[in-house]
Amino acid sequence: MGTLDHAVGKRYFLTGKFPRGLSASGSSMSTWWANENPGLFTIPNLVIRTEMYNEGLDPRASGLRIQGYEDLSTVLKPLNPDLEPRAELAKALAEVQYSQGCLEKQLDVTTRVTAHRASFEKALAFGGGSVWEYFNFKRNPAPGSSVANVYEAFGINPGNPFSQLGSSGGRAAIAAQALTNGLTQAVSVGVAGGLDTHGDEWAADQVSRQREGWTAIANFIKYMKNTLDPNGKPYWDRMSIVASSDFARTPRINTRGGRDHFLYSGVLIAGAGIKGNQVVGQTRNIDYHGEPIDHSTGKPDEMGAHIRPPDVHATLLEGAGLSYKNVSNQSPVLMQTALKS
């Protein structure tokens, strides 16, 4: 990872570019993904409990950032009819928003007007309440409904769903609902938290918290494989997924009975164009540092190189048939062994 700092490690992996100090460099992978067709989705880029960056891309591709279900309900619940502007006022507001005079053209040199209009359009779509219908996670939904299916897939108690919607499984359920209902192009989710443990609490806390996160990911993949799109194909057939952390933990226990930050980490990639069920790369048995590998075979090679975040970005985007020009200045190397031929 090239760093032991949380902020640097997180932003390095989100963008595929090493940060400028603590500031992210470039746009998040999810933003690049959403930038492909930002006008086709109500929420092109949904970001749940993590960070998002947009550097020079379509403002519509910027993420709707929420911490959880409560934020989502605040944003998407329909406006009180008494607070909505009358038809005449709504028309006048729209005319002002879309006026294209000299001032607007001058301001839009920095894309401020374009960004403002994108936000205005999103506000109109959200305020109408039609999107909320997909996330109105009521108690005891009708059997066979999409909400009931989501509850079952992610182990959410239908009699009291609200107590679990803030969990790893709840956040994964929100992501699944957004994707399978055609509302979003890309979702980023902070699945597990509370993992920065350094003392002897590590042995108890890490197990349960990691298990909760990995269970949510497993249930998400299973749900996508079992849910069919309008063409009768599993959503999984046209989906890519990446799971990562800021960095890993030391293989050896420290003097406090815990583990510390470690330069070498692991990442899961799966989905479209990715050849699964394999491990690419390895660490040494002596000092546990990463072995350089031949990226075409995945085997250790002293003449090879370590796998870096830009390599992961490029490989995932290549597998999905998308450009990885956003990380071109990092000289990314495709992990050919991870790509389907």
Side-chain angles (χ1 to χ4, degrees), residues 163-174:
S163 64
Q164 295 173 277
L165 290 174
S167 67
S168 298
R171 293 191 290 274
I174 293 171

Side-chain angles (χ1 to χ4, degrees), residues 27 48 56 96 115 167 189 224 239 282 290 338:
S27 302
I48 308 172
V96 171
S167 67
V189 185
M224 291 300 169
M239 183 170 293
Q282 66 183 46

